[in-house]
Structures are given as C-alpha cells and as structure tokens.
C-alpha cells in the first residue's frame, strides 16, 4: 500500500510502498479516506513531542476516518463496510493515518456520524476526546454551570464550546478580534482577550465569583490567568497544555481545583482505550442531533501535498481543522 514515512525527526515525509497490514485480534483493518492534521502532528515530525514517544521510522498521522475492510478475532462492534472515525495511531508504536490502510485497535473507533463527511469526521477525534475528557470526565459539566473556554475558536476550543453548550452550560470563550464572530455564532459569549483582562471579565460575567469551569486550551500565561478566574470553593480549571512552571497558589487561595488532560495516555499504555471509542460514539450522537460540527479548513490536500497541509497548520493560516484526503 502507499504511505508516507517519517525516517528522521525534522526530515520531509517520504512516499513509500509498504506491506498491507492485517487485522489481528481486537483490531479492525480500516481503508483510510481522510487524515486530520493537528498541531501535535507537526510537533512530532520535527521531534518536539517527546511525550508522544514516537519510534522511527514510522507512518505519522493521529486522526482518521474510513471504512472497515476486515475485523480480527473478538471484534463485535464493527463489520466490514462500517464507516468509522477515531484517534488511532501516530504515537508510540502505532501506525498512523497517512497511509491507505491501517490495522487499529477497534476500541479506539466509533461509527462515523451520518451527517458528517469523511473529511469532517477526520477533523474531530483528537480535539473531541480532549475536550470531552476535560469538560465531562474531569469537571462534570452540567446545566447551571458557567464555563469559560480559552481559545474558543481554536481546534480544541470550538469543540469544547459546543460540548459545554450541549450539556446545558452557559458558555463564555476568549479569542482575538478576528475570532469573536465565530465564537458568537456557536452560541457562546465572546470575550476579546486583547481588550480586557481576567479581573474585568470575571467581574462582568460572574459578579466577581468566578467561573464554575475554566478550560484552558492555550497554556502558558493563559493557564496562570485561569487560576484567577475559577469560582471560589467549587471552581475547576482544566488544561490540555500544562507545560512550564506554574504557581497554583492563586487557585488554592480560591479553594478551587485543577485537572490535566493527557489524551494520548490510553494509546501509549494500552489502558482505557475503550473509553476513547465510547466518547466518540457519544460525540457522534451530538453531531447527529446538530449540536456538534467541526470547523474544517477549505483547502484540499493529498498525500502528495501533505507538506502544504503541515505548513498551513504551522503557519496559523488554516481556517479550521486541516484534513488530508487519503483515498477519495
């Protein structure tokens, strides 16, 4: 089969013909139609994602959407012909999605929402699982909560906004001037972080009490600011980007709590993978009901033009999630 190979960190992805995988016990062989490109994919390529534990040479690519061609022993949720999506490879020793086929752990898959195209489905897995684990699993988002999402128009952020709204929360989201319309159109209250600071918007939107949940998708100074925006006693800060050194004293002084999300852990350890599939099945139901829709960049990229896809992500010029068309 045709695939792209990363042989050295920092090198270009090389086209290659490699052996067709077979579905082993617990696996599904998926014919890949589309592969989502995340900022993490670009970091893995240049060797700046040690936490992904990528062994080389390897086929990169985290997210996929495609069609089940065959299933291995013990797989009962899927049959050949099922259309699926999932966060299935590209880290550790797991084959990625920049190839025509992949044999993947069936626990990591879910049925593709019928209302989404393959491209749209491929845009969802990593960001959706990250947002769901933070908001639902860690923070228990529910009706009555006031939720603040930092980076509300970004990859994780725009999905987090929709998940919080779907659970009945009142949602606020920060962004720059160009992203405020997107945030408002999703149903959240936009906050221009270039024109106001945490004390001001905490006072305006919560009467100074703080938000029930603060979801940080930006990291750095934004995570520090999140600690000062959580509700006294019961607030919960969740972050998918906890890099750096941070003082949790401002959070402690409010009596609030913090959780980190490491979405790759089940893929790297083999533990808890079924929950990824469960999350995506629930996300698929939200999509079917019209409450979850990905923002997909209009550019069309193929395996032959994947360098341009990565450049669109790295440069920040993409207008939504970048997706590579693997098989039309």
């Amino acid at each position: 089969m045709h695939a792209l190979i990363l042989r050295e960190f920092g090198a270009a992805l090389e086209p290659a013909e490699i052996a067709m995988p077979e579905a082993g016990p617990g696996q599904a062989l998926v014919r890949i139609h589309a592969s989502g490109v995340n900022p993490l994919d670009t970091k893995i390529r240049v060797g700046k994602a040690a936490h992904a534990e990528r062994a080389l040479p390897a086929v990169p690519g985290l997210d996929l959407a495609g069609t089940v061609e065959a299933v291995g022993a013990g797989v009962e949720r899927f049959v050949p012909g099922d259309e699926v999506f999932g966060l299935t490879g590209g880290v550790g020793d797991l084959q990625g999605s920049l190839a025509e086929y992949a044999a993947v752990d069936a626990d990591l898959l879910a049925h593709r929402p019928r209302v989404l195209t393959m491209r749209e489905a491929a845009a969802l897995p990593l960001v959706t699982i990250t947002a769901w684990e933070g908001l639902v699993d860690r923070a228990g988002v529910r009706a009555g909560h006031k939720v603040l999402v930092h980076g509300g128009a970004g990859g994780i952020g725009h999905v987090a906004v929709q998940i919080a709204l779907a659970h009945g929360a009142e949602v606020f989201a920060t962004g720059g001037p160009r992203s405020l319309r997107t945030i408002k159109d999703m149903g959240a209250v936009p906050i221009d972080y270039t024109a106001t600071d945490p004390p001001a918007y905490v006072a305006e939107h919560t009467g100074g009490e703080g938000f029930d949940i603060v979801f940080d998708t930006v990291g750095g100074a934004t995570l520090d600011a999140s600690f000062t925006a959580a509700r006294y006693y019961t607030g919960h800060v969740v972050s998918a980007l906890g890099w750096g050194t941070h003082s949790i004293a401002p959070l402690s002084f409010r009596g609030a709590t913090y959780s980190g999300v490491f979405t790759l852990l089940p893929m790297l350890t083999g533990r808890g993978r079924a929950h990824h599939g469960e999350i995506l099945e629930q996300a698929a139901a939200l999509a079917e009901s019209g409450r979850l829709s990905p923002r997909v960049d209009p550019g069309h990229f193929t395996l032959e033009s994947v360098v341009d896809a990565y450049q669109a992500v790295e440069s920040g010029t993409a207008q939504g999630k970048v997706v590579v068309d693997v098989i039309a």
Side-chain angles (χ1 to χ4, degrees):
M1 68 173 180
H2 188 54
L4 295 180
I5 303 293
L6 178 62
R7 299 192 185 281
E8 297 181 14
F9 292 121
L13 303 182
E14 299 179 13
E17 295 296 322
I18 64 175
M20 173 80 74
E22 296 182 356
Q27 291 185 325
L29 177 65
V30 179
R31 183 173 185 260
I32 300 169
H33 292 259
S35 170
V37 183
N38 301 277
L40 179 57
D41 289 290
T42 67
K43 291 181 175 65
I44 290 173
R45 187 188 71 80
V46 297
K48 294 184 178 180
H51 60 293
E53 301 179 15
R54 178 81 282 198
L56 300 183
V59 176
L62 298 163
D63 294 328
L64 65 73
T67 304
V68 174
E69 293 286 304
V71 297
V75 176
E76 298 180 352
R77 290 175 54 231
F78 304 103
V79 297
D82 282 352
E83 295 183 345
V84 295
F85 71 129
L87 169 64
T88 60
V91 299
D93 60 356
L94 302 178
Q95 183 205 304
S97 54
L98 290 177
E100 293 177 312
Y101 295 87
V104 305
D105 189 331
D107 281 346
L108 297 171
L109 294 171
H111 293 89
R112 177 179 70 89
R114 293 165 294 177
V115 297
L116 300 183
T117 66
M118 286 288 189
R119 285 172 51 79
E120 290 170 330
L124 281 176
L126 174 61
V127 295
T128 300
I129 294 169
T130 303
W132 192 283
E133 287 190 342
L135 289 171
V136 181
D137 293 348
R138 305 290 194 276
V141 64
R142 64 179 185 273
H145 277 164
K146 286 192 173 184
V147 175
L148 174 65
V149 178
H150 284 302
I156 299 171
H158 86 286
V159 172
V161 165
Q162 294 177 77
I163 289 174
L165 287 169
H167 282 77
E170 183 180 5
V171 183
F172 305 78
T174 63
R178 292 186 299 175
S179 65
L180 299 181
R181 170 54 62 181
T182 298
I183 291 169
K184 185 176 182 179
D185 287 347
M186 288 189 293
V189 176
I191 298 173
D192 185 349
Y193 74 89
T194 69
T196 186
D197 58 14
Y201 59 69
V202 168
E204 178 181 358
H205 298 298
T206 73
E209 285 298 305
F211 296 90
D212 297 287
I213 302 171
V214 182
F215 196 126
D216 167 41
T217 73
V218 180
T222 302
L223 178 54
D224 291 320
S226 299
F227 293 155
T228 69
R231 181 176 292 277
Y232 285 98
Y233 297 110
T234 59
H236 197 137
V237 175
V238 184
S239 179
L241 291 169
W243 305 111
T245 301
H246 303 272
S247 171
I248 63 171
L251 188 71
S252 299
F253 293 153
R254 300 177 79 85
T257 56
Y258 170 80
S259 292
V261 175
F262 184 34
T263 314
L264 305 182
L265 196 59
M267 301 166 71
L268 295 171
T269 66
R271 297 167 58 185
R273 289 182 177 178
H275 188 49
H276 275 198
E278 293 165 357
I279 290 172
L280 292 179
E281 291 288 3
Q282 294 179 80
L286 289 185
E288 295 282 6
S289 67
R291 292 178 291 173
L292 177 61
S293 178
R295 294 180 64 230
V296 179
D297 183 82
H300 283 264
F301 306 94
T302 66
L303 292 181
E304 288 68 32
S305 61
V306 74
V307 63
D308 297 321
Y310 274 48
Q311 177 59 28
V313 175
E314 292 169 334
S315 65
T317 58
Q319 300 174 36
K321 184 71 170 284
V322 171
V323 176
V324 174
D325 298 312
V326 178
I327 298 175

